Amino acid sequence: QVQLAESGGGVVQAGDSLRLSCTASGRPFSVHGMGWFRQVPGKERELVASIRWSNGAPYYDDSVKGRFAISRAKVGHTVYLQMSSLKPEDTAVYYCAAHRVGDSGYNLRGQGTQVTVVS
């Protein structure tokens, strides 16, 4: 069984930075990419950043461009989300997800980590 585990969430002030980490465990697997979603109560989960595994190409939602940076470790399925200039509207549960080879999308997801930005 494969699992993703996020860490690094917390409560920060507006303008602060935070770094989220996601580590995979279990059986080895291959991915097309990995990403970070976020969700607030009453809203749909949204993809904020992803990274293509073949070439490291990143994708960012417009709401986080220039403030968030996704990266991956050189070994294993570990991804990071460096969040800077955080805003109260960034408050959400952040989920790490993987688009595994053979899956139709980001079907593997972690339990999530809460990020709260206070003004």
Side-chain angles (χ1 to χ4, degrees):
Q1 187 177 359
V2 179
Q3 290 184 321
L4 300 178
E6 305 93 338
S7 62
V11 180
V12 296
Q13 298 274 345
D16 284 352
S17 298
L18 206 59
R19 190 194 197 205
L20 304 182
S21 299
C22 170
T23 303
S25 62
R27 296 175 59 187
F29 60 100
S30 298
V31 298
H32 293 297
M34 294 186 71
W36 288 93
F37 290 74
R38 67 185 180 188
Q39 187 170 26
V40 297
K43 292 189 177 181
E44 290 189 2
R45 188 176 293 119
E46 62 175 354
L47 177 66
V48 295
S50 65
I51 186 165
R52 188 181 301 169
W53 222 247
S54 60
N55 60 5
Y59 158 83
Y60 299 102
D61 183 80
D62 286 344
S63 63
V64 305
K65 275 182 183 176
R67 301 188 300 119
F68 289 13
I70 189 169
S71 60
R72 62 180 180 183
K74 291 184 178 180
V75 178
H77 294 102
T78 298
V79 291
Y80 308 99
L81 186 66
Q82 179 67 46
M83 304 184 293
S84 304
S85 302
L86 282 162
K87 305 175 181 179
E89 50 264 43
D90 293 319
T91 296
V93 177
Y94 284 73
Y95 298 89
C96 172
H99 181 182
R100 291 177 294 184
V101 172
D103 285 352
S104 59
Y106 288 93
N107 294 336
L108 178 63
R109 191 170 60 243
Q111 293 296 309
T113 185
Q114 177 71 43
V115 173
T116 301
V117 184
V118 298
S119 56

PDB file of all heavy atoms in Angstrom, residues 53 71-80:
ATOM      1  N   TRP A  53       6.918  15.033 -13.449  1.00  0.00           N
ATOM      2  CA  TRP A  53       8.054  14.247 -12.983  1.00  0.00           C
ATOM      3  C   TRP A  53       9.138  14.075 -14.049  1.00  0.00           C
ATOM      4  O   TRP A  53      10.309  13.948 -13.721  1.00  0.00           O
ATOM      5  CB  TRP A  53       7.575  12.879 -12.508  1.00  0.00           C
ATOM      6  CG  TRP A  53       8.249  12.453 -11.247  1.00  0.00           C
ATOM      7  CD1 TRP A  53       9.116  11.411 -11.082  1.00  0.00           C
ATOM      8  CD2 TRP A  53       8.122  13.083  -9.969  1.00  0.00           C
ATOM      9  NE1 TRP A  53       9.537  11.370  -9.785  1.00  0.00           N
ATOM     10  CE2 TRP A  53       8.954  12.366  -9.075  1.00  0.00           C
ATOM     11  CE3 TRP A  53       7.406  14.182  -9.498  1.00  0.00           C
ATOM     12  CZ2 TRP A  53       9.063  12.714  -7.728  1.00  0.00           C
ATOM     13  CZ3 TRP A  53       7.523  14.527  -8.164  1.00  0.00           C
ATOM     14  CH2 TRP A  53       8.344  13.800  -7.298  1.00  0.00           C
ATOM     15  N   SER A  71       8.827  21.993  -5.489  1.00  0.00           N
ATOM     16  CA  SER A  71      10.092  21.348  -5.843  1.00  0.00           C
ATOM     17  C   SER A  71      10.026  19.885  -5.402  1.00  0.00           C
ATOM     18  O   SER A  71       9.102  19.482  -4.691  1.00  0.00           O
ATOM     19  CB  SER A  71      11.275  22.056  -5.191  1.00  0.00           C
ATOM     20  OG  SER A  71      11.163  22.030  -3.781  1.00  0.00           O
ATOM     21  N   ARG A  72      10.994  19.126  -5.831  1.00  0.00           N
ATOM     22  CA  ARG A  72      11.010  17.712  -5.479  1.00  0.00           C
ATOM     23  C   ARG A  72      12.410  17.323  -5.043  1.00  0.00           C
ATOM     24  O   ARG A  72      13.403  17.952  -5.411  1.00  0.00           O
ATOM     25  CB  ARG A  72      10.584  16.866  -6.679  1.00  0.00           C
ATOM     26  CG  ARG A  72      11.539  17.017  -7.855  1.00  0.00           C
ATOM     27  CD  ARG A  72      11.108  16.182  -9.030  1.00  0.00           C
ATOM     28  NE  ARG A  72      12.040  16.351 -10.157  1.00  0.00           N
ATOM     29  CZ  ARG A  72      11.895  15.791 -11.334  1.00  0.00           C
ATOM     30  NH1 ARG A  72      10.863  15.014 -11.562  1.00  0.00           N
ATOM     31  NH2 ARG A  72      12.780  15.995 -12.284  1.00  0.00           N
ATOM     32  N   ALA A  73      12.460  16.280  -4.261  1.00  0.00           N
ATOM     33  CA  ALA A  73      13.749  15.743  -3.872  1.00  0.00           C
ATOM     34  C   ALA A  73      14.338  14.974  -5.057  1.00  0.00           C
ATOM     35  O   ALA A  73      13.613  14.539  -5.947  1.00  0.00           O
ATOM     36  CB  ALA A  73      13.581  14.817  -2.671  1.00  0.00           C
ATOM     37  N   LYS A  74      15.637  14.800  -5.034  1.00  0.00           N
ATOM     38  CA  LYS A  74      16.299  14.101  -6.132  1.00  0.00           C
ATOM     39  C   LYS A  74      16.007  12.612  -6.098  1.00  0.00           C
ATOM     40  O   LYS A  74      16.052  11.931  -7.128  1.00  0.00           O
ATOM     41  CB  LYS A  74      17.810  14.339  -6.062  1.00  0.00           C
ATOM     42  CG  LYS A  74      18.211  15.769  -6.383  1.00  0.00           C
ATOM     43  CD  LYS A  74      19.711  15.933  -6.384  1.00  0.00           C
ATOM     44  CE  LYS A  74      20.107  17.363  -6.748  1.00  0.00           C
ATOM     45  NZ  LYS A  74      21.575  17.547  -6.756  1.00  0.00           N
ATOM     46  N   VAL A  75      15.710  12.109  -4.919  1.00  0.00           N
ATOM     47  CA  VAL A  75      15.457  10.682  -4.756  1.00  0.00           C
ATOM     48  C   VAL A  75      14.089  10.485  -4.119  1.00  0.00           C
ATOM     49  O   VAL A  75      13.721  11.195  -3.174  1.00  0.00           O
ATOM     50  CB  VAL A  75      16.542  10.024  -3.876  1.00  0.00           C
ATOM     51  CG1 VAL A  75      16.235   8.538  -3.681  1.00  0.00           C
ATOM     52  CG2 VAL A  75      17.916  10.207  -4.506  1.00  0.00           C
ATOM     53  N   GLY A  76      13.345   9.532  -4.612  1.00  0.00           N
ATOM     54  CA  GLY A  76      12.059   9.220  -4.015  1.00  0.00           C
ATOM     55  C   GLY A  76      10.958  10.159  -4.452  1.00  0.00           C
ATOM     56  O   GLY A  76      11.165  11.087  -5.241  1.00  0.00           O
ATOM     57  N   HIS A  77       9.762   9.897  -3.957  1.00  0.00           N
ATOM     58  CA  HIS A  77       8.605  10.729  -4.279  1.00  0.00           C
ATOM     59  C   HIS A  77       8.342  11.685  -3.125  1.00  0.00           C
ATOM     60  O   HIS A  77       7.410  11.506  -2.341  1.00  0.00           O
ATOM     61  CB  HIS A  77       7.390   9.841  -4.553  1.00  0.00           C
ATOM     62  CG  HIS A  77       7.553   9.004  -5.789  1.00  0.00           C
ATOM     63  ND1 HIS A  77       7.872   7.676  -5.750  1.00  0.00           N
ATOM     64  CD2 HIS A  77       7.469   9.345  -7.097  1.00  0.00           C
ATOM     65  CE1 HIS A  77       7.963   7.217  -6.991  1.00  0.00           C
ATOM     66  NE2 HIS A  77       7.733   8.210  -7.824  1.00  0.00           N
ATOM     67  N   THR A  78       9.205  12.667  -3.027  1.00  0.00           N
ATOM     68  CA  THR A  78       9.078  13.708  -2.018  1.00  0.00           C
ATOM     69  C   THR A  78       8.961  15.051  -2.714  1.00  0.00           C
ATOM     70  O   THR A  78       9.757  15.359  -3.594  1.00  0.00           O
ATOM     71  CB  THR A  78      10.296  13.716  -1.082  1.00  0.00           C
ATOM     72  OG1 THR A  78      10.383  12.465  -0.393  1.00  0.00           O
ATOM     73  CG2 THR A  78      10.186  14.842  -0.064  1.00  0.00           C
ATOM     74  N   VAL A  79       7.957  15.790  -2.337  1.00  0.00           N
ATOM     75  CA  VAL A  79       7.760  17.110  -2.918  1.00  0.00           C
ATOM     76  C   VAL A  79       7.601  18.135  -1.809  1.00  0.00           C
ATOM     77  O   VAL A  79       7.177  17.800  -0.705  1.00  0.00           O
ATOM     78  CB  VAL A  79       6.539  17.168  -3.853  1.00  0.00           C
ATOM     79  CG1 VAL A  79       6.788  16.356  -5.108  1.00  0.00           C
ATOM     80  CG2 VAL A  79       5.278  16.729  -3.154  1.00  0.00           C
ATOM     81  N   TYR A  80       7.939  19.351  -2.149  1.00  0.00           N
ATOM     82  CA  TYR A  80       7.858  20.451  -1.203  1.00  0.00           C
ATOM     83  C   TYR A  80       7.028  21.576  -1.801  1.00  0.00           C
ATOM     84  O   TYR A  80       6.959  21.725  -3.019  1.00  0.00           O
ATOM     85  CB  TYR A  80       9.260  20.975  -0.876  1.00  0.00           C
ATOM     86  CG  TYR A  80      10.226  19.909  -0.448  1.00  0.00           C
ATOM     87  CD1 TYR A  80      11.136  19.362  -1.352  1.00  0.00           C
ATOM     88  CD2 TYR A  80      10.233  19.440   0.863  1.00  0.00           C
ATOM     89  CE1 TYR A  80      12.029  18.371  -0.966  1.00  0.00           C
ATOM     90  CE2 TYR A  80      11.124  18.447   1.258  1.00  0.00           C
ATOM     91  CZ  TYR A  80      12.013  17.920   0.339  1.00  0.00           C
ATOM     92  OH  TYR A  80      12.884  16.948   0.725  1.00  0.00           O
TER      93      TYR A  80
END
